[in-house]
Amino acid sequence: MRTDRQWMNVRLRDGYLTDEFEAGIEKFVDFAQTHPELMDGTKIRCPCNDRKCQNRSFQELDTVRFHLAKNGFVKDYYVWYKHGETVVQQTSNQNVQRSVESDVGIEYAQPNNACQAMLMDVIGPSFNPDVIEDIPNPTAQELYEMLKASEQEVWPGNPYGHSKLSAVARLLNLKVKHHFSERCFDDICQFLSELLPENNVMTDSFYSTKKLMQGLGLPVEKIHCCINGCMIYWGEDSELISCKFCNHPRYKRHNGSNRQKKNVPHKKMYYFPLTPRLQRLYASKATADDMRWHKEHNTEEGVMRHCSESPAWKHFDQIHPSFAAESRNVRLGLCTDGFQPFGQTGQQYSSWPVIVTPYNLPPWMCMKDEYMFLSIIVPGPRNPKEKLDVFLQPLIAELKHLWEVGVQTYDVSTKQNFQMRAALMWTISDFPAYSILSGWSTAGKLACPYCMENSDAFSLSKGGKTSWFDSHRKFLLMEHPFRRNKKAFRKGQTVLKGAPPIRSGVEILELIEHYGFKKVTENDADGKNAQISKNCRCGWKKRSIFWDLPYWKSNLIRHNLDVMHIEKNFFDNIFNTIMNVEGKTKDNAKSREDLKEFCSRPELHRDETTNKFPKACYSLEKDAKEALCKWLKELRFPDGYASNMGRCVDMKKHKLFGMKSHDCHVFMQRLIPIAFRELLPGNVWQALTEISIFFKNLTTTVIKKEAMERLEKEIPIILCRLERIFPPSFFDSMEHLPIHLAYEAMIAGPVQYRWMYPFERYLRKLKNNVRNKAKVEGSICNAYLVEEASAFCAHYFQPQVYTRHRKVPRNYDYGMGDGSKQEGMLSIFNNTGRSYGRAKSRYFLDDQEYHAAHTYILLNCEEVKPYIEIYANELRQSEPHIDDAAIDAKLDQDFASWFEKFSMSGRGSQSLGRGRGSQQIVRGGGIQQFFSGNNTTNVLPHSPTCTEDTLASPPLDTPVLSATDIPSSSHSTPAGNVSSIPPTLGGTSDGTAASTTAGFSQSMPSMQTHDKIFIRPTLDNKQFIPSASRRIGKIFKEKLVEEGIKWSKVPSNMKEYYWEEFEKKYKWNPALLISVKDTWNHVASVRYNDKLGKWRKKYGKDAKPNSVPQEVWNKWWEYWNSEEFKALSQKASQNRRSEKAGEGSGPSKHIGGSKTTIQHSIDLEAELGRPPTPFEVFKRMHKKNDGSFVDKRSNDINEAVENMVAIASQLRDESTEAPEIDVAQIYLQAVGVEPKKRRVYGLGTHASIFYPDSVSSSSSASSHYNTLFDERLREELQEIQENLHKKNEEIQQKNEELQQQIEEMKKKEEERLKREDEMQQKILHMEQIMCKLAQASSIYQPSTEDPSKSLEVTTHSDSE
C-alpha cells in the first residue's frame, strides 16, 4: 500500500469524518478532473464501496464526494488507474530498507550468487531480513529458511561452490526433467548423503526437499464439488452440506467407530489462483522485460508476426484506452480439452484441465510450456459437458477482479510498483469443446458458429448424416459462373444470395438475452434452456459464463476455430476416400444413392446390368495404392521435421493407422501435391493441391493482410471445385469450416497462437504426471507445483545446465574447449563444439550438394551480410515488383556465383580486400576445414581431371540432359562418375585432394563458373525446353527491323544476330549442331510469327509495344493493311474452318496446344512405360480436365471405341483361344480414313506413324511406333557419325594449313631478326663516328636564355 494514501483507510474517528479524509477526497476529485479523456462530460467514475458504483457508474462531482464520505473507497484502490494514474513510485520505506541493508553489509539488490538473486526476485523489495519486530509468520519463516540455505555450503570447500539451496534446486530440476518417482528421489538423496563428507547438509528425502523449497511454490485451492457436477461449494455456498440442485450430500458417510473423523467430500476440484502466477512473471528478471515486448517491438504495416499486431488486439485497445495505456497489463488466452489418463484400453475416465497463457511475451517465449498456467483441474470420471461453467466460476471471478480492480505488482525490471490488470482475449479448443465454452451447439445443421441460422446444410436421405454440400457458392463473387451452374452442384439449383453477415458480440448477447437463456449455475437452467432452444429452433443451448466478463462482448473474436483438428479431419476424409478405406471412405453405396438424388453425375450411378457402381475418378486402383503405400513406407524426413510415417502404413489393407495430428499436418501441406500428382486425374489433383496450399499459406508464422484477403476470396472457389468432384457425403462440418479460417487469421493474427498443438503437447505432459491412478487430479496437482518451483529456479542456473527454458546444443563442449577464435577464420567456423564420433569417409559431393553447402556458408557468415543487402538491392532495382520470397529463392540459386563475380570485379575489390579472409569468403574459404575436421567427412579423390573442355563439350557417349531431365531431388554421385575435386574445396589441378593444413591463401586458383545451360532438341526437331523457347522470344525484342513482317522475310544478318545471342546462353553436344539449328529455326519461326500476330491484335496503328521502334511499327502496319496480307489472312481463316477429317466432321478441335502428335506420344510413353495406342493419344489431345471432350464428334468416337472394346472383351472372355484385342485397329475402324489426304481423325499429320499402310496394316500401332523410333535414332546416330567425320577432316585440313602458316611465319621471323641485327650494327657504327666528331670539333649546349634560338656552337683550340 502506498504510504501517502493511508488516509483512505481512516475515514471516521469517533463517528465523524477525519480532516485527512476530507482533504483526500478533494485531492482525488482534483486529480480525476485532470484526465478529461476518462470522464463522461462533467461526470467521473465513482470509486465508492457501494456495490452499484465501484468505478462502474459515472456521477456528478458532488455526488462522488457524498458517496465517498458515506461509503468510503472501494477496497485496495490505492492506485487511481480508472481515473488516469498508471505508475506508483517507490515509497520512502523502501529507501529506508535499502539504507538498512547497506548498513549491515548486505546488498540484496545485487546478490552474491544466483540463489540469492532468485530469492530477492521472489520476495520483492518490501522484505528486510534484518528488521524483525515480531515472530515471523509461517510464510516469512519459509523465506528465512531459504535465505539461510542459500548461504550454507553443501559441505565446506566444495569445488563448485554449491549451496544447499542450489544443490536442491538442481535435484528438483532433474526430477521434473526425467520424471523421477518420489521413492527414486529419496534413494538418490540417501546415496548422495553417503558419498558426500560427513559434515554435508544435503537433504535426505523428497519430503525435506519440498519443505525447504515450498517458499517458492504458488498457492492452490481445493474446492469441494457436487458429485453430479451441479455446483461447487465456493463463495456464498461454501458452508452448504448438500447440493442445492440435487440435494446430494457434500461429504461421504462415516463408517464404523463413533470417534471424530475428518469429513471427506465426494469430489473436489483444484484451483490454481492466476494472480500470483502473473505476478511471478514480473518478479523474475528473466521474464519482466519480455512482458512489455508486445508494446515496444517494431512493427510493419500490413504484416502480423504476433497477436499484438492483429486488428482484434488493436480494436480492444481502442475500446479500452485506460487498459491499453499500461503496457504491463496482461492479455490472456484460455484453452481446455479432455484427455483419458488411462489410455484407450483402461478405465473410462475424462479429466479436463483449464489452461491460461499470457500473450504479452515475444514469439520465442509465447505458447511455451513454462508459460502455460494450469488454472483448474475439473475432476472426473465423467465429461462435464455443459456444466463446465460451474467449475469456471472461481477463474471468472478472479478475471473480473483483475479487470475492474487489478492487483498491485512489483516490476523488477523497472524497480516500480504498478496496478496490474488482465483481460481474456479469446478461448482455444477443438470443435466439441467450442460448444461447451461458447454455448452454441456444434452439431446438426446449425453447427457453424458463423453461418448460424443462415446455414444451407441438409440431411442425406440415404446416409442419414448432415451434409454441407453446395454451401459455399454464396461466398463467391456475385458474377462468378459457379453461382449459375445447375449441373455441377445440386441439380437444377442456382445461388443468388450473398454470404451471411458476421454478428458482433453485442448483437449476440442481445439475442441471448432476448431468448432468455440462463447460466448453468442458476436454478432450473437445464430444463429452461432446453425448452427455449427447442421452441426457438436456434443453435444456442445456454448463456455462457464468459458473458459475465464486462469486456467480453467487445471482443472481435471470442472463440477460435481450431485449425489443427479441422486440417486433420479434412485430410482423413481426403485420404480415406481416395484410398477407398473400408468403413472410413465417404464414397459408399449410400453415398452413391444420395449422389443420384442430389447431383447430376450419371457416370457414377449404379450400372443396371452389373448392379455395381463404377469406379470414381478420385478413387485409386489397386496398383496405384500399392505404389503410394510403398513410397510412404520408404519416405524419410529431415531430423525433427516429422515422425516416421513408414510405421503408419498398412501394406495389406492399403491404409494409414496411428497417424498423429502433426503427421496429418505434414502430409496435408507437403505431400499431397507430390503423392497424387501421377496417380489422379488433373482436375482432381489440382483441387487437392489448392486446398493443400491454402492450409500451408494459412499456417505461416508471418502473415500479411493482403495474403489473408486473397485466401478469403480463394477458399470458396477451392471448396466449390472439390464439390464438383466428391459426393455430398464427403462434406461434413469440418469441410465447411475452412471457409471462415482466413477471416479469423486476418482478424486475430497468426494461427500458431490460436491452435491446439502446444496445448495438446502440454496435456500429454500432464497425462505422464499421473502416477497414482486412484488420485488422478491429485497427482497432476502435486507434479505441477513441483514443476512451477523448478521452472522458476531454472532461470538462475548456469548456461550449460539443460532446463525447460534452455536447450543445450548436442555438441556443446561443456567448457572443454579453449574458446579462442582463430584469426582470419570465418565466423561460421569459430563456433566451439565437440565431435559427434569417429570421422567417416564418403565420395565427393555432387554439384547440387556442393552448391547447397557453399550457399549455406555464405548466407550464414556475418562477414557476407553487407553483400547480401547489396545483392537484394540490385534485385529490387532491376525488378521493382519482386517480393521477399522471390529474393530468398534468388539468394539460394544465384548468390554464390554473383558474389564471386562481384568480389573479383572492380566494384568489390576494395570493399572485400585482398587478404586471407576475403579469399576464404570468395573461394569457399573454411569449407576445407568444414569437410576435413574430426567431426566431419573426408574427401576422397576418385576421378580423372575434369577440365573446362570436358565440361563444355561432354563426350559423345555421355547423355546430355535437358532441364526437364534433371531430377528434383539431389542424390550422391556414384563412385564411377565422381568429378574431380574443385579447387574451391581444397582440390588441386590434377584432381587430388589438397592438404588439410595448407592455408587458403597459398596457390589458390580462381573458381571457374559455367553459366551456359545444356539443351538438346526433341526427337522431331520441333521444341526445346520451355526456358530456351522463351529466351528466343525475348531475343526478338532486343532488335527488330522493318523488313521483318514475318520470319521468312527477316534478313539473314538479323537471323545470324538472333542465333549468336542464343548461343551466349545455351550449349549443346557439338555433334547435334545441325539438329539444334533446325530446331532453333522452327521455334524461332513459330515464336516470331505468333508474337507479331498477338501484337497486331492487341495494339492498333496508333499504339505499339515498347520494344518496337515507331518506324518499324509503321512499316509493319503498312503491310498488314495491304491487299496481299488480307488475301493471305482470308485463306488461312478458310483453312482453319476446313473439315480436315471429312465432310460433316466440322473444324478440327484439340487441346494439344503447340505440341505435335509425336511429342505427345513420347510424353505418354514416358508416363505409361510403353508405347501408347492411337486411342490413348486421341484422348490425351481431345479430353478436357473435367472428363468431357472438346466437341460432339470426339465424344461420339470415344463412346464408339469403348463399346467396340467392350464387345471384343466379352468375345475374348467367351473364347477358348483368347485372342489379343488390337485397340489400334478398333480405333481405325471407328474413325475411318479421310479419302483425299489419307488422314486419320485425331492423329493429324502424324497418322502414318501408327498406320504406315493407311488402313490395312497387319501390325499393331506399338510395333510401328517402336520401328519409327528406332529408325529415327539410327538416322540421328548416322548423322552424328557423318558430322564427326566431316569435322575430323576439317580439323585435319585446318591443322595442315596452320602448320604451313607457322613455317612461313618462322621464315619471316628469321628474316626480320637478321635485318634487325644489320640495323643494330649500322647504328653502332654511326654512334662511334658521331662521338669522334663531337670530341674533335664541338659540343651541343642548350640555350637557357632564349629557348627559341638554335643551339650555340662553341669552338676551342686543341691547346685549350
Side-chain angles (χ1 to χ4, degrees), residues 1033-1046:
K1034 292 179 180 178
I1035 293 173
F1036 296 148
K1037 296 182 180 180
E1038 299 174 2
K1039 197 171 183 180
L1040 295 165
V1041 293
E1042 297 178 2
E1043 297 86 349
I1045 53 177
K1046 54 184 176 181

PDB file of all heavy atoms in Angstrom, residues 1033-1046:
ATOM      1  N   GLY A1033      12.078 -15.925 -77.773  1.00  0.00           N
ATOM      2  CA  GLY A1033      11.109 -14.844 -77.920  1.00  0.00           C
ATOM      3  C   GLY A1033      11.603 -13.532 -77.335  1.00  0.00           C
ATOM      4  O   GLY A1033      11.310 -12.451 -77.867  1.00  0.00           O
ATOM      5  N   LYS A1034      12.361 -13.595 -76.233  1.00  0.00           N
ATOM      6  CA  LYS A1034      12.878 -12.373 -75.625  1.00  0.00           C
ATOM      7  C   LYS A1034      13.978 -11.737 -76.492  1.00  0.00           C
ATOM      8  O   LYS A1034      14.134 -10.517 -76.509  1.00  0.00           O
ATOM      9  CB  LYS A1034      13.415 -12.671 -74.227  1.00  0.00           C
ATOM     10  CG  LYS A1034      12.340 -13.053 -73.226  1.00  0.00           C
ATOM     11  CD  LYS A1034      12.940 -13.349 -71.862  1.00  0.00           C
ATOM     12  CE  LYS A1034      11.856 -13.740 -70.865  1.00  0.00           C
ATOM     13  NZ  LYS A1034      12.432 -14.080 -69.542  1.00  0.00           N
ATOM     14  N   ILE A1035      14.753 -12.564 -77.191  1.00  0.00           N
ATOM     15  CA  ILE A1035      15.828 -12.028 -78.031  1.00  0.00           C
ATOM     16  C   ILE A1035      15.251 -11.149 -79.137  1.00  0.00           C
ATOM     17  O   ILE A1035      15.841 -10.124 -79.511  1.00  0.00           O
ATOM     18  CB  ILE A1035      16.663 -13.178 -78.617  1.00  0.00           C
ATOM     19  CG1 ILE A1035      17.432 -13.895 -77.498  1.00  0.00           C
ATOM     20  CG2 ILE A1035      17.636 -12.679 -79.665  1.00  0.00           C
ATOM     21  CD1 ILE A1035      18.152 -15.133 -77.948  1.00  0.00           C
ATOM     22  N   PHE A1036      14.076 -11.518 -79.672  1.00  0.00           N
ATOM     23  CA  PHE A1036      13.491 -10.744 -80.758  1.00  0.00           C
ATOM     24  C   PHE A1036      13.251  -9.297 -80.341  1.00  0.00           C
ATOM     25  O   PHE A1036      13.392  -8.366 -81.141  1.00  0.00           O
ATOM     26  CB  PHE A1036      12.170 -11.371 -81.210  1.00  0.00           C
ATOM     27  CG  PHE A1036      12.332 -12.747 -81.801  1.00  0.00           C
ATOM     28  CD1 PHE A1036      11.335 -13.704 -81.659  1.00  0.00           C
ATOM     29  CD2 PHE A1036      13.484 -13.085 -82.496  1.00  0.00           C
ATOM     30  CE1 PHE A1036      11.476 -14.958 -82.203  1.00  0.00           C
ATOM     31  CE2 PHE A1036      13.623 -14.346 -83.036  1.00  0.00           C
ATOM     32  CZ  PHE A1036      12.632 -15.295 -82.882  1.00  0.00           C
ATOM     33  N   LYS A1037      12.860  -9.094 -79.073  1.00  0.00           N
ATOM     34  CA  LYS A1037      12.511  -7.751 -78.616  1.00  0.00           C
ATOM     35  C   LYS A1037      13.715  -6.812 -78.586  1.00  0.00           C
ATOM     36  O   LYS A1037      13.552  -5.598 -78.563  1.00  0.00           O
ATOM     37  CB  LYS A1037      11.883  -7.831 -77.221  1.00  0.00           C
ATOM     38  CG  LYS A1037      10.567  -8.579 -77.168  1.00  0.00           C
ATOM     39  CD  LYS A1037      10.002  -8.570 -75.765  1.00  0.00           C
ATOM     40  CE  LYS A1037       8.684  -9.323 -75.684  1.00  0.00           C
ATOM     41  NZ  LYS A1037       8.130  -9.316 -74.321  1.00  0.00           N
ATOM     42  N   GLU A1038      14.926  -7.399 -78.563  1.00  0.00           N
ATOM     43  CA  GLU A1038      16.110  -6.564 -78.453  1.00  0.00           C
ATOM     44  C   GLU A1038      16.389  -5.788 -79.737  1.00  0.00           C
ATOM     45  O   GLU A1038      16.955  -4.693 -79.686  1.00  0.00           O
ATOM     46  CB  GLU A1038      17.315  -7.427 -78.079  1.00  0.00           C
ATOM     47  CG  GLU A1038      17.153  -8.142 -76.734  1.00  0.00           C
ATOM     48  CD  GLU A1038      18.294  -9.089 -76.455  1.00  0.00           C
ATOM     49  OE1 GLU A1038      19.226  -9.148 -77.298  1.00  0.00           O
ATOM     50  OE2 GLU A1038      18.267  -9.762 -75.403  1.00  0.00           O
ATOM     51  N   LYS A1039      16.014  -6.348 -80.875  1.00  0.00           N
ATOM     52  CA  LYS A1039      16.344  -5.695 -82.144  1.00  0.00           C
ATOM     53  C   LYS A1039      15.349  -6.160 -83.208  1.00  0.00           C
ATOM     54  O   LYS A1039      15.236  -7.353 -83.475  1.00  0.00           O
ATOM     55  CB  LYS A1039      17.776  -6.043 -82.559  1.00  0.00           C
ATOM     56  CG  LYS A1039      18.361  -5.121 -83.615  1.00  0.00           C
ATOM     57  CD  LYS A1039      19.843  -5.405 -83.801  1.00  0.00           C
ATOM     58  CE  LYS A1039      20.470  -4.449 -84.798  1.00  0.00           C
ATOM     59  NZ  LYS A1039      21.912  -4.700 -84.995  1.00  0.00           N
ATOM     60  N   LEU A1040      14.614  -5.213 -83.788  1.00  0.00           N
ATOM     61  CA  LEU A1040      13.626  -5.520 -84.815  1.00  0.00           C
ATOM     62  C   LEU A1040      13.856  -4.589 -86.010  1.00  0.00           C
ATOM     63  O   LEU A1040      14.292  -3.436 -85.856  1.00  0.00           O
ATOM     64  CB  LEU A1040      12.200  -5.344 -84.272  1.00  0.00           C
ATOM     65  CG  LEU A1040      11.808  -6.313 -83.152  1.00  0.00           C
ATOM     66  CD1 LEU A1040      10.550  -5.827 -82.439  1.00  0.00           C
ATOM     67  CD2 LEU A1040      11.579  -7.713 -83.707  1.00  0.00           C
ATOM     68  N   VAL A1041      13.542  -5.083 -87.205  1.00  0.00           N
ATOM     69  CA  VAL A1041      13.783  -4.310 -88.432  1.00  0.00           C
ATOM     70  C   VAL A1041      12.496  -4.213 -89.226  1.00  0.00           C
ATOM     71  O   VAL A1041      11.548  -4.992 -89.040  1.00  0.00           O
ATOM     72  CB  VAL A1041      14.889  -4.965 -89.291  1.00  0.00           C
ATOM     73  CG1 VAL A1041      16.231  -4.890 -88.581  1.00  0.00           C
ATOM     74  CG2 VAL A1041      14.532  -6.415 -89.624  1.00  0.00           C
ATOM     75  N   GLU A1042      12.469  -3.257 -90.179  1.00  0.00           N
ATOM     76  CA  GLU A1042      11.270  -3.010 -90.957  1.00  0.00           C
ATOM     77  C   GLU A1042      10.927  -4.177 -91.871  1.00  0.00           C
ATOM     78  O   GLU A1042       9.760  -4.451 -92.149  1.00  0.00           O
ATOM     79  CB  GLU A1042      11.458  -1.741 -91.797  1.00  0.00           C
ATOM     80  CG  GLU A1042      11.644  -0.476 -90.976  1.00  0.00           C
ATOM     81  CD  GLU A1042      11.867   0.736 -91.854  1.00  0.00           C
ATOM     82  OE1 GLU A1042      11.845   0.588 -93.098  1.00  0.00           O
ATOM     83  OE2 GLU A1042      12.062   1.845 -91.311  1.00  0.00           O
ATOM     84  N   GLU A1043      11.962  -4.878 -92.375  1.00  0.00           N
ATOM     85  CA  GLU A1043      11.702  -5.976 -93.305  1.00  0.00           C
ATOM     86  C   GLU A1043      11.060  -7.181 -92.638  1.00  0.00           C
ATOM     87  O   GLU A1043      10.539  -8.076 -93.310  1.00  0.00           O
ATOM     88  CB  GLU A1043      13.014  -6.418 -93.971  1.00  0.00           C
ATOM     89  CG  GLU A1043      13.675  -5.346 -94.810  1.00  0.00           C
ATOM     90  CD  GLU A1043      14.578  -4.440 -93.980  1.00  0.00           C
ATOM     91  OE1 GLU A1043      14.505  -4.545 -92.736  1.00  0.00           O
ATOM     92  OE2 GLU A1043      15.356  -3.644 -94.566  1.00  0.00           O
ATOM     93  N   GLY A1044      11.115  -7.260 -91.286  1.00  0.00           N
ATOM     94  CA  GLY A1044      10.667  -8.456 -90.581  1.00  0.00           C
ATOM     95  C   GLY A1044       9.176  -8.540 -90.416  1.00  0.00           C
ATOM     96  O   GLY A1044       8.664  -8.666 -89.301  1.00  0.00           O
ATOM     97  N   ILE A1045       8.420  -8.474 -91.492  1.00  0.00           N
ATOM     98  CA  ILE A1045       6.961  -8.592 -91.409  1.00  0.00           C
ATOM     99  C   ILE A1045       6.542 -10.012 -91.071  1.00  0.00           C
ATOM    100  O   ILE A1045       5.440 -10.250 -90.607  1.00  0.00           O
ATOM    101  CB  ILE A1045       6.323  -8.130 -92.722  1.00  0.00           C
ATOM    102  CG1 ILE A1045       6.941  -8.879 -93.913  1.00  0.00           C
ATOM    103  CG2 ILE A1045       6.476  -6.622 -92.900  1.00  0.00           C
ATOM    104  CD1 ILE A1045       6.326  -8.528 -95.246  1.00  0.00           C
ATOM    105  N   LYS A1046       7.414 -10.972 -91.327  1.00  0.00           N
ATOM    106  CA  LYS A1046       7.250 -12.351 -90.890  1.00  0.00           C
ATOM    107  C   LYS A1046       8.629 -13.000 -90.925  1.00  0.00           C
ATOM    108  O   LYS A1046       9.595 -12.427 -91.452  1.00  0.00           O
ATOM    109  CB  LYS A1046       6.253 -13.110 -91.758  1.00  0.00           C
ATOM    110  CG  LYS A1046       6.534 -13.090 -93.251  1.00  0.00           C
ATOM    111  CD  LYS A1046       5.409 -13.796 -93.994  1.00  0.00           C
ATOM    112  CE  LYS A1046       5.618 -13.714 -95.510  1.00  0.00           C
ATOM    113  NZ  LYS A1046       4.529 -14.374 -96.243  1.00  0.00           N
TER     114      LYS A1046
END
